């Protein structure tokens, strides 16, 4: 312990040493200063509290005399153990993480979220960090542009053009610590009365965030080609939130025809916008690459959102969006007071990683790794009776339709009892009870081939497939 | 360029090679693929688009024939320069940071924000990063606890108890990428009808954030002891937002008596809370340390907010709050779907930095550095005629009352014309015109002693002091 903020009332009739003594004694009794903790040296505390050293020594000696603390040469003053009966109610409040809920541990978790972290480029990242954290980059350690640093915004702009055909002027690229952070900014830029049309089933985090921001949301049905634009039109929505590359959670890839319909819908009214959440477009296993919706948009109607959470790591919290002109101008007028939320150290590291080609290599490597897991899962599922797999061409999870008469919830209960976690589709619906739904989500990013095979073998037995 | 997401319509009568050729040609004409850029190798593009290599080669040869690209052994295909007349309107949209506003450069900027980055512990940080970024910490590179990682929350809890007498069960410590991010969470936890009472003059970022979240805000006047609790009572506010350690912007330290009044105000009604923003409490140059308001709060009425932006660096975006029990339970029920916004790599680094004692040493060093700048500034200002300095005992800026007949705005205009930036107090008021106010803010964190002396000497001349 280096310092101890003791409050001493200099107007009080109680001498300072006695106030210091009582303060420390109470803190020990209440368990706020723990057994074995060392107190600041009398010199340090005297300087810190601006009292003479002898005042502090008198307080300490009193504490020693009463058995609260002990002194040892070279070790200084440290706190002794007290009888338990001594401790006041304050002890519990600061003890440890007593309120933490113990999350259930599963043997195998087919989570559709998360990534494989075994192949994160650790060595390269350490090398880049050595480059970034130097006095030469001193300016980086102060506050930066509210949009994020221009270096990373520039390389993101180039990357989006190359790989997704997204037309992103670097000025209009805005970084945020996760998609939810960007959605908060978007919500501030859109009219308060706007109605959000969301795919149903839905990506729950975005749904819950918009809901807790008090936004009006209407669920819009889907078919095998994506959100039904006719239903969107009927819903009265102004803003369409879609995941065209790989719908979350169903895995549907929005057809070209539907994309064109959606863009036409947006063009029909001035305040209509499309939020294109392109969260895992980097991973695709079959068919030709389909460019982002944003690239087909000739009239600045698409707010494009992407993230490094899937392609690199969710630990860095780096997402980005590309704003249409009108919203960009609003942002520059009213939004720049908000400090950017992304670590500037991580921003610089990702910038260098992309510039030096590391990101491209990492993506190729991860595509192969996920493709392998994908193939293993698909091969297992194809052996199951009465089972239809969909949404398997991209991302890191599949939608599995099991026709053995059990609901997804029942399937999950059976799995749960055996230490395996699966994700019934019905929990992803907005405002609807679909408890009889028989579809489930199976993700594979965090599992290795052996776990996938073992888990699916056990599930097939449990479910009689 | 490693890949190029060309969209090819396989149902079209136009052959694939011709579609690929036209696509790339248009991208070159529109400036989306720039002069000198190298195209993917024919093998790579064939694999990526899932066409035969000969299809790609036919497209490339056509482009070579028409002078759009050239081929060189070992270098592959790269884009040639086109006549300017050739370029379509698309070019401007993706060229460079054309819309960036050029911020005015000042010779000397007395900003009250930012930090001195010359003494950031670069070497120590690189060493810690080497420890953090390893396959052994693999779990760190996936998503974490929505509150932030328990390791850092634990050390923050201990640090707050030791140095600020804040009683923070680590469970109730919640991290966020900056104070604004935490305020967004707080706003979600508080009743939608709550009225926020804010100090006037105010910390503008918090004010603007709450305003853009649609919260009702009432300005509450202050005197030399802090927010006037009688006015707060009259205002009808439910939530008091205060900066007791060093009011932003005036620098006032809230008196003990006022603190007790404020706590009594909060206790009087169930839904009343105090938000204590303790943003720069680490730096104090005179007088006894005053513990945080939260430590005097026996009834769980204070939401405590602190940050590493001043004490370490704003580049990392790490702030923290301690929630009272009722709000903590609400958060655990409704708020945990929100992913934490702080980089987990930075979280781990700060945790180790504190645990290993580096943070304590850094704070001592920075206190001396800021104290020195503070002393230089104060010595200069004391030589000024008709000038009263206040709020100088803590933080990294002072409030300077200049009585030469000029308003703060006029003083700023004169300074501005001479390349010096100062901050008139009147711009920090909520909803009030104080254009005749003669007080200004002078910050010193980012300046060295020489700049402070030089800047103040020039100002004294300009202003006739």
């Amino acid at each position: 312990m280096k310092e101890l903020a003791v409050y001493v009332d200099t107007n009080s009739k109680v001498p300072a040493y006695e106030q210091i003594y009582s303060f420390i004694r109470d803190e020990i009794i209440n368990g706020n200063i723990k057994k074995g903790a060392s107190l600041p040296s009398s010199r340090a505390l005297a300087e810190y509290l601006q009292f003479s050293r002898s005042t502090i020594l008198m307080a300490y000696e009193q504490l020693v005399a009463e058995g609260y603390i002990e002194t040892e040469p070279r070790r200084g003053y440290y706190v002794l153990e007290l009888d338990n009966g001594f401790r006041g109610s304050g002890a519990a409040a600061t003890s440890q993480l007593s309120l933490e809920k113990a999350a259930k541990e599963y043997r195998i978790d087919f989570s559709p979220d998360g990534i494989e972290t075994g192949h994160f480029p650790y060595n390269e990242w350490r090398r880049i960090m050595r480059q970034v954290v130097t006095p030469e980059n001193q300016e980086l350690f102060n506050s930066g542009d509210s949009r994020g640093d221009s270096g990373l915004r520039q390389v993101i702009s180039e990357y989006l053009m190359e790989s997704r055909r997204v037309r992103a002027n670097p000025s209009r690229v805005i970084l945020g610590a996760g998609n939810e952070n960007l959605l908060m900014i978007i919500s501030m830029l859109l009219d308060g009365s706007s109605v959000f049309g969301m795919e149903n089933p839905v990506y729950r985090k975005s749904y819950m965030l918009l809901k807790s921001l008090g936004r009006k949301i209407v669920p819009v049905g889907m078919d095998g080609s994506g959100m039904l634009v006719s239903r969107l039109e009927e819903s009265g929505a102004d803003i369409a939130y879609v995941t065209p590359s790989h719908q979350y959670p169903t895995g549907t890839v929005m057809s070209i025809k539907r994309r064109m319909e959606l863009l036409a819908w947006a063009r029909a009214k001035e305040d209509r916008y499309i939020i294109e959440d392109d969260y895992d477009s980097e991973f695709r296993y079959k068919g030709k690459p389909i460019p982002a919706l944003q690239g087909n948009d000739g009239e600045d109607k698409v707010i494009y959102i992407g993230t490094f959470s899937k392609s690199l790591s969710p630990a860095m919290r780096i997402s980005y969006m590309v704003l249409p002109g009108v919203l960009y101008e609003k942002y520059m007028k009213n939004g720049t007071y908000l400090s950017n939320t992304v670590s500037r150290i991580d921003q610089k590291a990702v910038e260098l990683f992309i510039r030096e080609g590391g990101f491209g290599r990492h993506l190729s490597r991860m595509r192969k790794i996920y493709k392998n897991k994908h193939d293993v899962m698909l091969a297992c599922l194809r052996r199951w009776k009465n089972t239809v797999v969909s949404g398997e061409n991209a991302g890191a999870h599949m939608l599995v339709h099991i026709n053995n008469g059990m609901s997804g919830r029942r399937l999950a209960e059976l799995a749960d009892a055996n230490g395996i976690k699966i994700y019934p589709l019905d929990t992803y619906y907005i405002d609807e009870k679909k408890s009889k739904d028989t579809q489930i989500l199976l993700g594979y990013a965090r599992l290795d081939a052996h776990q996938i095979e073992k888990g699916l073998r056990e599930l097939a037995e449990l479910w009689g497939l």
Side-chain angles (χ1 to χ4, degrees), chain A residues 239-282:
Chain A
I239 313 295
Y241 183 104
V242 290
T243 46
S245 291
H246 187 234
Q247 203 266 339
Y248 195 98
T250 62
T252 303
V253 178
M254 191 182 287
S255 69
I256 299 291
K257 188 160 167 288
R258 192 61 56 79
R259 286 165 193 245
M260 295 305 154
E261 284 172 30
L262 189 59
L263 287 169
W265 168 86
R267 279 195 298 271
K269 286 196 184 166
E270 201 185 330
D271 286 341
R272 285 184 177 170
Y273 286 101
I274 298 164
I275 301 175
E276 177 179 25
D277 184 349
D278 209 24
Y279 70 104
D280 70 356
S281 60
E282 292 82 3

CSV table of all heavy atoms in Angstrom, one decimal, chain A residues 239-282:
chain,number,residue,atom,x,y,z
A,239,ILE,N,-36.3,2.3,-41.5
A,239,ILE,CA,-35.0,1.8,-41.5
A,239,ILE,C,-35.0,0.3,-41.5
A,239,ILE,O,-35.7,-0.4,-40.7
A,239,ILE,CB,-34.2,2.2,-40.1
A,239,ILE,CG1,-34.5,3.7,-39.8
A,239,ILE,CG2,-32.8,1.8,-40.2
A,239,ILE,CD1,-33.9,4.7,-40.8
A,240,ALA,N,-34.3,-0.3,-42.5
A,240,ALA,CA,-34.3,-1.8,-42.5
A,240,ALA,C,-32.9,-2.3,-42.0
A,240,ALA,O,-31.9,-1.9,-42.5
A,240,ALA,CB,-34.5,-2.3,-44.0
A,241,TYR,N,-33.0,-3.1,-41.0
A,241,TYR,CA,-31.7,-3.7,-40.5
A,241,TYR,C,-31.6,-5.1,-41.0
A,241,TYR,O,-32.4,-5.9,-40.7
A,241,TYR,CB,-31.8,-3.7,-38.9
A,241,TYR,CG,-30.5,-4.1,-38.3
A,241,TYR,CD1,-29.6,-3.2,-37.7
A,241,TYR,CD2,-30.2,-5.5,-38.2
A,241,TYR,CE1,-28.5,-3.6,-37.1
A,241,TYR,CE2,-29.0,-5.9,-37.6
A,241,TYR,CZ,-28.1,-5.0,-37.1
A,241,TYR,OH,-27.0,-5.4,-36.5
A,242,VAL,N,-30.6,-5.3,-41.8
A,242,VAL,CA,-30.4,-6.6,-42.5
A,242,VAL,C,-29.0,-7.1,-42.4
A,242,VAL,O,-28.0,-6.4,-42.2
A,242,VAL,CB,-30.8,-6.6,-44.0
A,242,VAL,CG1,-32.3,-6.4,-44.1
A,242,VAL,CG2,-30.1,-5.5,-44.7
A,243,THR,N,-28.9,-8.5,-42.5
A,243,THR,CA,-27.6,-9.2,-42.5
A,243,THR,C,-27.5,-10.0,-43.8
A,243,THR,O,-27.7,-11.2,-43.7
A,243,THR,CB,-27.4,-10.1,-41.3
A,243,THR,OG1,-28.6,-10.8,-41.1
A,243,THR,CG2,-27.2,-9.3,-40.0
A,244,PRO,N,-27.3,-9.3,-44.9
A,244,PRO,CA,-27.5,-10.0,-46.2
A,244,PRO,C,-26.5,-11.1,-46.5
A,244,PRO,O,-26.8,-12.1,-47.2
A,244,PRO,CB,-27.4,-8.9,-47.3
A,244,PRO,CG,-27.2,-7.6,-46.5
A,244,PRO,CD,-27.0,-7.9,-45.1
A,245,SER,N,-25.3,-11.0,-46.1
A,245,SER,CA,-24.2,-11.9,-46.4
A,245,SER,C,-24.5,-13.3,-45.8
A,245,SER,O,-24.1,-14.3,-46.4
A,245,SER,CB,-22.8,-11.5,-46.0
A,245,SER,OG,-22.4,-10.3,-46.7
A,246,HIS,N,-25.0,-13.3,-44.6
A,246,HIS,CA,-25.2,-14.6,-43.9
A,246,HIS,C,-26.1,-14.2,-42.7
A,246,HIS,O,-25.7,-13.8,-41.7
A,246,HIS,CB,-23.9,-15.1,-43.4
A,246,HIS,CG,-23.9,-16.4,-42.7
A,246,HIS,ND1,-23.5,-16.7,-41.5
A,246,HIS,CD2,-24.4,-17.6,-43.2
A,246,HIS,CE1,-23.7,-18.0,-41.2
A,246,HIS,NE2,-24.2,-18.6,-42.2
A,247,GLN,N,-27.4,-14.3,-43.0
A,247,GLN,CA,-28.4,-13.8,-42.0
A,247,GLN,C,-28.1,-14.4,-40.6
A,247,GLN,O,-27.9,-15.6,-40.5
A,247,GLN,CB,-29.8,-14.1,-42.4
A,247,GLN,CG,-30.9,-13.1,-41.8
A,247,GLN,CD,-31.5,-13.7,-40.5
A,247,GLN,OE1,-31.5,-14.9,-40.3
A,247,GLN,NE2,-32.0,-12.8,-39.7
A,248,TYR,N,-28.2,-13.6,-39.6
A,248,TYR,CA,-28.1,-14.1,-38.2
A,248,TYR,C,-29.5,-14.1,-37.7
A,248,TYR,O,-30.1,-13.1,-37.6
A,248,TYR,CB,-27.1,-13.2,-37.4
A,248,TYR,CG,-26.7,-13.9,-36.1
A,248,TYR,CD1,-25.5,-14.5,-36.0
A,248,TYR,CD2,-27.6,-14.0,-35.0
A,248,TYR,CE1,-25.1,-15.2,-34.9
A,248,TYR,CE2,-27.2,-14.6,-33.9
A,248,TYR,CZ,-25.9,-15.2,-33.8
A,248,TYR,OH,-25.6,-15.9,-32.7
A,249,PRO,N,-30.0,-15.3,-37.3
A,249,PRO,CA,-29.3,-16.6,-37.1
A,249,PRO,C,-29.5,-17.6,-38.2
A,249,PRO,O,-28.8,-18.6,-38.1
A,249,PRO,CB,-30.0,-17.1,-35.8
A,249,PRO,CG,-31.4,-16.6,-35.9
A,249,PRO,CD,-31.3,-15.2,-36.6
A,250,THR,N,-30.4,-17.4,-39.2
A,250,THR,CA,-30.7,-18.5,-40.1
A,250,THR,C,-29.6,-18.9,-41.1
A,250,THR,O,-29.7,-19.9,-41.6
A,250,THR,CB,-32.0,-18.2,-40.9
A,250,THR,OG1,-31.7,-17.0,-41.7
A,250,THR,CG2,-33.2,-17.9,-40.0
A,251,GLY,N,-28.7,-18.0,-41.3
A,251,GLY,CA,-27.6,-18.3,-42.3
A,251,GLY,C,-28.0,-18.0,-43.8
A,251,GLY,O,-27.2,-18.2,-44.7
A,252,THR,N,-29.2,-17.5,-44.0
A,252,THR,CA,-29.7,-17.2,-45.4
A,252,THR,C,-28.8,-16.2,-46.0
A,252,THR,O,-28.5,-15.2,-45.4
A,252,THR,CB,-31.1,-16.7,-45.3
A,252,THR,OG1,-32.0,-17.6,-44.6
A,252,THR,CG2,-31.7,-16.4,-46.7
A,253,VAL,N,-28.5,-16.4,-47.3
A,253,VAL,CA,-27.8,-15.4,-48.1
A,253,VAL,C,-28.8,-14.7,-48.9
A,253,VAL,O,-29.6,-15.3,-49.6
A,253,VAL,CB,-26.7,-16.0,-49.0
A,253,VAL,CG1,-26.0,-14.9,-49.8
A,253,VAL,CG2,-25.7,-16.7,-48.1
A,254,MET,N,-28.9,-13.3,-48.8
A,254,MET,CA,-29.9,-12.6,-49.5
A,254,MET,C,-29.7,-12.6,-51.0
A,254,MET,O,-28.6,-12.4,-51.4
A,254,MET,CB,-30.0,-11.1,-49.0
A,254,MET,CG,-31.2,-10.4,-49.5
A,254,MET,SD,-31.3,-8.7,-49.0
A,254,MET,CE,-31.7,-8.8,-47.3
A,255,SER,N,-30.7,-13.0,-51.7
A,255,SER,CA,-30.5,-13.1,-53.2
A,255,SER,C,-30.3,-11.8,-53.8
A,255,SER,O,-30.7,-10.7,-53.3
A,255,SER,CB,-31.7,-13.8,-53.8
A,255,SER,OG,-32.8,-12.9,-53.7
A,256,ILE,N,-29.7,-11.8,-55.0
A,256,ILE,CA,-29.5,-10.5,-55.8
A,256,ILE,C,-30.8,-9.8,-56.0
A,256,ILE,O,-30.9,-8.6,-55.9
A,256,ILE,CB,-28.8,-10.8,-57.1
A,256,ILE,CG1,-27.5,-11.5,-56.9
A,256,ILE,CG2,-28.6,-9.6,-57.9
A,256,ILE,CD1,-26.4,-10.6,-56.3
A,257,LYS,N,-31.8,-10.6,-56.4
A,257,LYS,CA,-33.1,-10.0,-56.7
A,257,LYS,C,-33.7,-9.3,-55.5
A,257,LYS,O,-34.1,-8.1,-55.6
A,257,LYS,CB,-34.1,-11.1,-57.1
A,257,LYS,CG,-35.4,-10.6,-57.7
A,257,LYS,CD,-36.1,-11.7,-58.5
A,257,LYS,CE,-37.5,-11.3,-58.8
A,257,LYS,NZ,-38.4,-11.5,-57.6
A,258,ARG,N,-33.6,-9.9,-54.3
A,258,ARG,CA,-34.1,-9.3,-53.1
A,258,ARG,C,-33.3,-8.1,-52.8
A,258,ARG,O,-33.8,-7.1,-52.3
A,258,ARG,CB,-34.0,-10.4,-52.0
A,258,ARG,CG,-34.7,-10.0,-50.7
A,258,ARG,CD,-36.2,-9.8,-50.9
A,258,ARG,NE,-37.0,-10.9,-51.5
A,258,ARG,CZ,-37.3,-12.0,-50.9
A,258,ARG,NH1,-37.1,-12.2,-49.6
A,258,ARG,NH2,-38.0,-13.0,-51.5
A,259,ARG,N,-32.0,-8.1,-53.0
A,259,ARG,CA,-31.2,-6.9,-52.7
A,259,ARG,C,-31.6,-5.7,-53.5
A,259,ARG,O,-31.7,-4.6,-53.0
A,259,ARG,CB,-29.7,-7.2,-53.0
A,259,ARG,CG,-29.0,-8.1,-52.0
A,259,ARG,CD,-27.7,-8.7,-52.6
A,259,ARG,NE,-27.3,-9.8,-51.7
A,259,ARG,CZ,-26.2,-9.8,-50.9
A,259,ARG,NH1,-25.4,-8.8,-51.0
A,259,ARG,NH2,-25.9,-10.8,-50.1
A,260,MET,N,-31.9,-6.0,-54.8
A,260,MET,CA,-32.4,-4.9,-55.7
A,260,MET,C,-33.7,-4.4,-55.2
A,260,MET,O,-34.0,-3.2,-55.2
A,260,MET,CB,-32.5,-5.4,-57.1
A,260,MET,CG,-31.1,-5.8,-57.7
A,260,MET,SD,-29.9,-4.5,-57.6
A,260,MET,CE,-28.3,-5.4,-57.6
A,261,GLU,N,-34.6,-5.3,-54.8
A,261,GLU,CA,-35.9,-4.9,-54.3
A,261,GLU,C,-35.7,-4.0,-53.0
A,261,GLU,O,-36.4,-3.0,-52.8
A,261,GLU,CB,-36.7,-6.1,-53.9
A,261,GLU,CG,-37.4,-6.8,-55.0
A,261,GLU,CD,-38.0,-8.1,-54.5
A,261,GLU,OE1,-38.5,-8.2,-53.4
A,261,GLU,OE2,-38.0,-9.1,-55.3
A,262,LEU,N,-34.8,-4.4,-52.2
A,262,LEU,CA,-34.6,-3.7,-50.9
A,262,LEU,C,-34.0,-2.3,-51.2
A,262,LEU,O,-34.5,-1.3,-50.6
A,262,LEU,CB,-33.6,-4.5,-50.0
A,262,LEU,CG,-33.4,-4.0,-48.6
A,262,LEU,CD1,-34.7,-4.0,-47.8
A,262,LEU,CD2,-32.4,-4.9,-47.9
A,263,LEU,N,-33.1,-2.2,-52.1
A,263,LEU,CA,-32.6,-0.9,-52.5
A,263,LEU,C,-33.6,0.0,-53.1
A,263,LEU,O,-33.7,1.2,-52.8
A,263,LEU,CB,-31.4,-1.0,-53.5
A,263,LEU,CG,-30.1,-1.6,-52.9
A,263,LEU,CD1,-29.1,-2.0,-54.0
A,263,LEU,CD2,-29.5,-0.6,-51.9
A,264,ALA,N,-34.5,-0.6,-53.9
A,264,ALA,CA,-35.6,0.2,-54.5
A,264,ALA,C,-36.6,0.7,-53.4
A,264,ALA,O,-37.0,1.8,-53.4
A,264,ALA,CB,-36.4,-0.7,-55.5
A,265,TRP,N,-36.8,-0.2,-52.4
A,265,TRP,CA,-37.6,0.3,-51.3
A,265,TRP,C,-37.0,1.5,-50.6
A,265,TRP,O,-37.7,2.5,-50.3
A,265,TRP,CB,-37.7,-0.9,-50.2
A,265,TRP,CG,-38.3,-0.5,-48.9
A,265,TRP,CD1,-39.6,-0.4,-48.6
A,265,TRP,CD2,-37.6,-0.1,-47.8
A,265,TRP,NE1,-39.8,0.0,-47.3
A,265,TRP,CE2,-38.5,0.2,-46.8
A,265,TRP,CE3,-36.2,0.1,-47.5
A,265,TRP,CZ2,-38.1,0.7,-45.5
A,265,TRP,CZ3,-35.8,0.5,-46.2
A,265,TRP,CH2,-36.8,0.8,-45.2
A,266,ALA,N,-35.7,1.5,-50.4
A,266,ALA,CA,-35.0,2.6,-49.7
A,266,ALA,C,-35.1,3.8,-50.5
A,266,ALA,O,-35.2,4.9,-50.0
A,266,ALA,CB,-33.6,2.2,-49.4
A,267,ARG,N,-34.9,3.7,-51.8
A,267,ARG,CA,-34.9,4.9,-52.7
A,267,ARG,C,-36.3,5.6,-52.7
A,267,ARG,O,-36.4,6.8,-53.0
A,267,ARG,CB,-34.6,4.5,-54.1
A,267,ARG,CG,-33.1,4.3,-54.3
A,267,ARG,CD,-32.7,4.3,-55.8
A,267,ARG,NE,-33.3,3.2,-56.5
A,267,ARG,CZ,-32.7,2.0,-56.6
A,267,ARG,NH1,-31.5,1.8,-56.1
A,267,ARG,NH2,-33.3,1.0,-57.3
A,268,ALA,N,-37.3,4.8,-52.4
A,268,ALA,CA,-38.7,5.4,-52.6
A,268,ALA,C,-39.0,6.6,-51.6
A,268,ALA,O,-39.9,7.4,-51.9
A,268,ALA,CB,-39.7,4.3,-52.4
A,269,LYS,N,-38.3,6.6,-50.5
A,269,LYS,CA,-38.6,7.8,-49.6
A,269,LYS,C,-37.3,8.3,-49.0
A,269,LYS,O,-36.3,7.6,-48.8
A,269,LYS,CB,-39.5,7.3,-48.4
A,269,LYS,CG,-40.9,7.1,-48.8
A,269,LYS,CD,-41.9,7.0,-47.6
A,269,LYS,CE,-43.3,6.7,-48.1
A,269,LYS,NZ,-44.1,6.4,-46.9
A,270,GLU,N,-37.3,9.6,-48.8
A,270,GLU,CA,-36.0,10.3,-48.5
A,270,GLU,C,-35.4,9.8,-47.2
A,270,GLU,O,-34.2,9.6,-47.1
A,270,GLU,CB,-36.3,11.8,-48.4
A,270,GLU,CG,-35.0,12.6,-48.6
A,270,GLU,CD,-35.3,14.1,-48.4
A,270,GLU,OE1,-36.4,14.5,-48.7
A,270,GLU,OE2,-34.3,14.7,-47.9
A,271,ASP,N,-36.3,9.5,-46.2
A,271,ASP,CA,-35.7,9.2,-44.9
A,271,ASP,C,-35.4,7.7,-44.7
A,271,ASP,O,-35.1,7.3,-43.6
A,271,ASP,CB,-36.6,9.7,-43.7
A,271,ASP,CG,-36.4,11.2,-43.6
A,271,ASP,OD1,-35.4,11.8,-44.1
A,271,ASP,OD2,-37.3,11.9,-43.0
A,272,ARG,N,-35.6,6.9,-45.7
A,272,ARG,CA,-35.4,5.5,-45.6
A,272,ARG,C,-33.9,5.2,-45.7
A,272,ARG,O,-33.2,5.7,-46.5
A,272,ARG,CB,-36.2,4.7,-46.7
A,272,ARG,CG,-37.6,4.7,-46.4
A,272,ARG,CD,-38.3,3.8,-47.4
A,272,ARG,NE,-39.8,3.7,-47.1
A,272,ARG,CZ,-40.7,3.2,-47.9
A,272,ARG,NH1,-40.3,2.7,-49.1
A,272,ARG,NH2,-41.9,3.1,-47.6
A,273,TYR,N,-33.5,4.3,-44.8
A,273,TYR,CA,-32.1,3.8,-44.9
A,273,TYR,C,-32.1,2.3,-44.6
A,273,TYR,O,-33.0,1.7,-44.0
A,273,TYR,CB,-31.2,4.5,-43.8
A,273,TYR,CG,-30.9,5.9,-44.2
A,273,TYR,CD1,-31.6,7.0,-43.6
A,273,TYR,CD2,-29.9,6.2,-45.2
A,273,TYR,CE1,-31.3,8.3,-43.9
A,273,TYR,CE2,-29.7,7.5,-45.5
A,273,TYR,CZ,-30.3,8.5,-44.9
A,273,TYR,OH,-30.1,9.8,-45.2
A,274,ILE,N,-31.0,1.7,-45.1
A,274,ILE,CA,-30.7,0.3,-44.9
A,274,ILE,C,-29.5,0.2,-44.0
A,274,ILE,O,-28.5,0.8,-44.3
A,274,ILE,CB,-30.5,-0.5,-46.2
A,274,ILE,CG1,-31.7,-0.4,-47.1
A,274,ILE,CG2,-30.1,-2.0,-45.9
A,274,ILE,CD1,-31.5,-0.8,-48.5
A,275,ILE,N,-29.6,-0.6,-42.9
A,275,ILE,CA,-28.4,-0.9,-42.1
A,275,ILE,C,-27.9,-2.2,-42.6
A,275,ILE,O,-28.6,-3.2,-42.3
A,275,ILE,CB,-28.6,-0.8,-40.6
A,275,ILE,CG1,-29.1,0.6,-40.2
A,275,ILE,CG2,-27.3,-1.2,-39.9
A,275,ILE,CD1,-29.5,0.7,-38.7
A,276,GLU,N,-26.8,-2.3,-43.2
A,276,GLU,CA,-26.3,-3.6,-43.7
A,276,GLU,C,-25.2,-4.1,-42.7
A,276,GLU,O,-24.1,-3.5,-42.6
A,276,GLU,CB,-25.6,-3.5,-45.1
A,276,GLU,CG,-25.0,-4.8,-45.6
A,276,GLU,CD,-24.4,-4.7,-47.0
A,276,GLU,OE1,-24.0,-3.6,-47.4
A,276,GLU,OE2,-24.3,-5.7,-47.6
A,277,ASP,N,-25.5,-5.1,-41.9
A,277,ASP,CA,-24.6,-5.6,-40.9
A,277,ASP,C,-23.9,-6.8,-41.5
A,277,ASP,O,-24.4,-7.9,-41.7
A,277,ASP,CB,-25.4,-6.0,-39.6
A,277,ASP,CG,-24.4,-6.5,-38.5
A,277,ASP,OD1,-23.2,-6.7,-38.8
A,277,ASP,OD2,-24.9,-6.6,-37.4
A,278,ASP,N,-22.6,-6.6,-41.9
A,278,ASP,CA,-21.9,-7.6,-42.7
A,278,ASP,C,-20.9,-8.3,-41.8
A,278,ASP,O,-19.7,-8.5,-42.1
A,278,ASP,CB,-21.1,-6.8,-43.8
A,278,ASP,CG,-20.9,-7.6,-45.0
A,278,ASP,OD1,-21.6,-8.5,-45.3
A,278,ASP,OD2,-19.9,-7.3,-45.8
A,279,TYR,N,-21.5,-8.8,-40.7
A,279,TYR,CA,-20.6,-9.2,-39.5
A,279,TYR,C,-19.7,-10.4,-39.8
A,279,TYR,O,-18.6,-10.4,-39.2
A,279,TYR,CB,-21.5,-9.6,-38.3
A,279,TYR,CG,-22.3,-10.8,-38.6
A,279,TYR,CD1,-22.0,-12.0,-38.0
A,279,TYR,CD2,-23.4,-10.8,-39.4
A,279,TYR,CE1,-22.7,-13.2,-38.2
A,279,TYR,CE2,-24.2,-12.0,-39.7
A,279,TYR,CZ,-23.8,-13.2,-39.1
A,279,TYR,OH,-24.5,-14.3,-39.3
A,280,ASP,N,-20.0,-11.3,-40.7
A,280,ASP,CA,-19.0,-12.4,-40.9
A,280,ASP,C,-18.8,-12.8,-42.4
A,280,ASP,O,-18.6,-13.9,-42.7
A,280,ASP,CB,-19.4,-13.7,-40.1
A,280,ASP,CG,-20.7,-14.4,-40.6
A,280,ASP,OD1,-21.3,-13.8,-41.6
A,280,ASP,OD2,-21.0,-15.4,-40.1
A,281,SER,N,-18.9,-11.7,-43.2
A,281,SER,CA,-18.8,-11.9,-44.6
A,281,SER,C,-17.5,-12.5,-45.1
A,281,SER,O,-17.3,-12.9,-46.2
A,281,SER,CB,-19.1,-10.6,-45.3
A,281,SER,OG,-18.1,-9.7,-44.9
A,282,GLU,N,-16.5,-12.4,-44.2
A,282,GLU,CA,-15.1,-12.9,-44.6
A,282,GLU,C,-15.1,-14.4,-44.8
A,282,GLU,O,-14.2,-14.9,-45.5
A,282,GLU,CB,-14.1,-12.5,-43.5
A,282,GLU,CG,-13.8,-11.0,-43.4
A,282,GLU,CD,-14.9,-10.3,-42.5
A,282,GLU,OE1,-15.8,-11.0,-42.0
A,282,GLU,OE2,-14.8,-9.1,-42.4
